[in-house]
Amino acid sequence: MSKNNPRAPRLATLLACAGAAALLFAGSAQAFTIKPYFEFKKPRQITLDGDISLDTNGMSAPYVGLPGATYVFGFEGISQYDGATLGRNFIPPDTMGAVGRTQYLESSNGSFAVFDKSNGTRLSLTADVAFWANAGQTGANGDTRVLYNAAAGRWIAAAFGGNTKDIQIAISDTDNALGSWKSVKYEGYAGLGFGATADYPTLAMDTNAIYIGTNNFAPSSSGGTNSFRGTTLNVIPVNSLFNAGAPTVAGFQQFNTPFVNGGPGEIDRGFAQQGINSRTPGSSGTVLAASLSEFDTVGFKVNGLTPNSAAGATLTTPGYLGEAAYGAPGAARQPAAAVAANRRVVDAGDERISTASYEANGRIYTLHTVDTTADGLDETRLRYLVLDASTLAVLDQGDIGTPGYDSFQGSLAVNSFGQVVVGYNRSGLDAATGNISFMARTFNTDLGGRLVATSDEILLKASLTDDYHNGSLFGAAAVGRQRWGDYSAVSLDPSDEQSFYLIGQFAREYNNAANGHPGGTGASRWGTWVAVLNVSAVPEPSTYALMVFGFGVIGAAALRRRGALA
């Protein structure tokens, strides 16, 4: 926002008032109990050995929007069938992607793909182990995150190493994702000498540093059960990775927050620490995470940063944001006509922040999955938060969802105009509309930092089956955790701030001969979908109310029943 903008004095007044609100201290003088679903590491992925099905049924056709529609076009990304052809057949996909100047880069558990961003043509498909080998590493264990550094014109990918205690980072040499990459690996968590896992690596980037957070697990004895041991925040100087030669972690710092049993003196720095992506100059960064013990989000700052070193950086005391009440998300519903008695099987995840989060115009935007306790519906919702970037005071919070449906696995991005696009999955029991679908909502930010809806729910891609079953047979009860996700992504086109690229998951047809897949197990399989939304020009504040009540149809083929903020 320009310093000469007449709105600025009012905004400054609002931020000054928000700054008076202090975060509650998240340290602990008393023992606290960790949420049970954070305590033990759950299986990351399932391998379907011996499943030799062929994808003779083919990919879904691309979607082309009506002229002037917000939903411009969409295309199928990597599918589980692609992974199977590469000998890398995993559940779940850990759907992830980012848009660059000419390409879209997607990663999943098992493979990487590059697409022409203008028309969705797939330019390459490679196994994850081959990608990392080409970048100079050995082995791959998934949980990949990718981002595009528009300032440097280069890509970054981060994931488990060949050993799950290690983190490996790859940097492209140019903005061509099909070109050469270089990499570096470091120990994320040493553990107790055996079985260590630096789990669920997150990824964020600002003008000073790359932030990678991990949840650390290890058994107390060789072959024992993994238990949560705390978190590590890795802060790596930007210039160490994006240099003229090979990337390094020179000048980086690891901030370890151990967890023994929640005893006195232990600090709640949260679970799945997520740094905030920002292009705003400064010497500090921001990190958010789901509280270990409370149904709330914790936040803290990383101070003393430069693009060349994090060696002198320090962390501020974490504080709770003070969210509205919520509970742990439950499993998501779907029609499940074939198994009517077992409809609530899809794992919607927990309340950790699974999406990249962003700062723009002095505000931080983030999103996570909750079960709102106030409505009494026991349905998952997406909780968005808009924070003052300086004080972390909550400027706005709200829940995205439609009664009768579960909404989960969300992600968002924001541009410099304060326009926000949210992508997520939605499912329910309705036989006509309840299949797991990839949806979107759009918002503008008003002068007080509140989100104003600028669209109804936009249907991006519906699943091809009413009963997602991975690892169990058609018509049978679900076996084990029916894992979904673990994440989705929304990224901003570096060449057009009002074009947003979204990637999410849908369920493909049953993997059996009747559906064109000889040799299949009979379970459904995951697919991924990339959608491009172009948001309209940001309106003047006086037009917000008119826009909300008069927002027209955004392409009849792209709309589902009207969504509501719960």
Side-chain angles (χ1 to χ4, degrees):
M1 182 177 291
S2 168
K3 292 182 180 179
N4 297 320
N5 192 311
R7 307 174 194 168
R10 181 183 175 191
L11 178 59
T13 301
L14 289 169
L15 292 180
C17 293
L23 295 175
L24 295 175
F25 176 51
S28 178
Q30 303 293 326
F32 65 90
T33 301
I34 190 173
K35 296 167 187 172
Y37 43 87
F38 289 166
E39 176 59 40
F40 296 109
K41 184 183 183 306
K42 299 173 181 177
R44 285 194 322 282
Q45 54 198 27
I46 301 168
T47 304
L48 297 182
D49 296 323
D51 188 339
I52 58 172
S53 62
L54 302 176
D55 189 13
T56 57
N57 199 46
M59 299 173 67
S60 295
Y63 170 86
V64 179
L66 299 173
T70 298
Y71 184 11
V72 178
F73 77 97
F75 57 92
E76 186 167 350
I78 296 169
S79 75
Q80 193 175 342
Y81 294 104
D82 293 324
T85 63
L86 298 170
R88 304 289 287 170
N89 186 1
F90 297 117
I91 307 168
D94 289 349
T95 306
M96 181 53 52
V99 63
R101 300 202 182 279
T102 63
Q103 299 166 330
Y104 190 86
L105 172 65
E106 180 183 356
S107 68
S108 70
N109 282 335
S111 57
F112 282 75
V114 178
F115 300 87
D116 183 321
K117 79 173 191 181
S118 66
N119 57 28
T121 300
R122 190 165 74 185
L123 305 175
S124 73
L125 173 70
T126 184
D128 55 354
V129 287
F131 170 85
W132 286 107
N134 290 335
Q137 299 299 324
T138 301
N141 275 290
D143 280 17
T144 304
R145 307 272 185 145
V146 299
L147 288 172
Y148 181 74
N149 185 335
R154 297 163 73 183
W155 304 87
I156 178 172
F160 284 126
N163 188 316
T164 56
K165 69 183 180 64
D166 295 330
I167 300 295
Q168 52 196 26
I169 304 170
I171 305 291
S172 66
D173 287 330
T174 68
D175 69 351
N176 181 7
L178 297 173
S180 57
W181 293 65
K182 296 184 177 69
S183 65
V184 63
K185 180 173 68 176
Y186 65 90
E187 186 173 73
Y189 174 56
L192 306 178
F194 36 75
T197 299
D199 193 34
Y200 203 78
T202 61
L203 179 65
M205 175 171 52
D206 62 20
T207 59
N208 291 303
I210 306 299
Y211 304 86
I212 297 176
T214 63
N215 298 323
N216 302 330
F217 292 85
S220 57
S221 60
S222 181
T225 301
N226 271 332
S227 186
F228 179 65
R229 303 294 178 179
T231 58
T232 299
L233 178 66
N234 302 275
V235 183
I236 308 168
V238 164
N239 289 348
S240 295
L241 292 174
F242 293 96
N243 56 51
T248 74
V249 292
F252 94 125
Q253 187 169 173
Q254 291 183 311
F255 293 97
N256 296 304
T257 304
F259 179 85
V260 178
N261 55 12
E266 293 195 350
I267 296 177
D268 183 358
R269 288 199 185 274
F271 192 80
Q273 295 173 343
Q274 175 64 57
I276 304 303
N277 292 283
S278 175
R279 292 179 289 180
T280 302
S283 59
S284 65
T286 304
V287 179
L288 301 175
S291 167
L292 290 173
S293 61
E294 307 298 318
F295 288 104
D296 202 348
T297 298
V298 298
F300 56 92
K301 296 284 187 178
V302 185
N303 291 329
L305 297 171
T306 73
N308 293 313
S309 179
T314 59
L315 303 185
T316 64
T317 300
Y320 297 113
L321 300 186
E323 285 188 55
Y326 68 86
R333 301 161 178 85
Q334 56 181 334
V339 191
N342 193 13
R343 295 182 171 188
R344 192 170 189 172
V345 298
V346 175
D347 186 349
D350 53 46
E351 72 269 29
R352 76 185 74 180
I353 298 172
S354 63
T355 173
S357 302
Y358 294 88
E359 183 271 330
N361 302 317
R363 303 183 183 104
I364 289 171
Y365 299 76
T366 191
L367 186 79
H368 66 118
T369 305
V370 302
D371 186 339
T372 52
T373 56
D375 58 17
L377 296 176
D378 187 24
E379 294 171 351
T380 61
R381 297 283 183 262
L382 297 168
R383 168 72 53 83
Y384 65 78
L385 296 167
V386 183
L387 312 175
D388 181 296
S390 177
T391 66
L392 300 189
V394 177
L395 304 177
D396 191 24
Q397 60 181 303
D399 299 324
I400 299 173
T402 306
Y405 297 87
D406 295 299
S407 299
F408 52 99
Q409 208 57 73
S411 54
L412 58 71
V414 58
N415 64 16
S416 63
F417 301 111
Q419 294 170 296
V420 177
V421 171
V422 178
Y424 57 98
N425 284 119
R426 190 199 73 178
S427 65
L429 298 181
D430 188 285
T433 61
N435 291 6
I436 304 174
S437 297
F438 185 31
M439 313 292 289
R441 293 287 301 266
T442 66
F443 301 85
N444 281 334
T445 309
D446 73 9
L447 296 181
R450 295 175 294 270
L451 294 192
V452 179
T454 56
S455 80
D456 295 331
E457 283 191 305
I458 304 171
L459 172 63
L460 305 176
K461 179 66 177 177
S463 289
L464 308 182
T465 172
D466 63 359
D467 184 26
Y468 175 77
H469 269 196
N470 256 318
S472 55
L473 300 181
F474 172 75
V479 176
R481 266 178 88 206
Q482 295 298 297
R483 296 194 64 190
W484 191 260
D486 281 334
Y487 18 81
S488 62
V490 182
S491 54
L492 188 62
D493 189 332
S495 303
D496 179 2
E497 273 207 73
Q498 291 184 304
S499 288
F500 292 78
Y501 281 67
L502 301 81
I503 187 167
Q505 186 182 341
F506 70 101
R508 289 194 52 166
E509 67 287 339
Y510 287 108
N511 175 30
N512 56 23
N515 283 285
H517 306 295
T521 61
S524 55
R525 279 191 162 178
W526 55 259
T528 62
W529 190 258
V530 180
V532 183
L533 269 60
N534 189 274
V535 294
S536 60
V538 62
E540 291 300 313
S542 61
T543 69
Y544 277 138
L546 291 175
M547 179 184 61
V548 171
F549 289 105
F551 197 88
V553 174
I554 314 176
L559 281 175
R560 186 61 87 186
R561 56 183 292 175
R562 181 176 180 80
L565 293 181

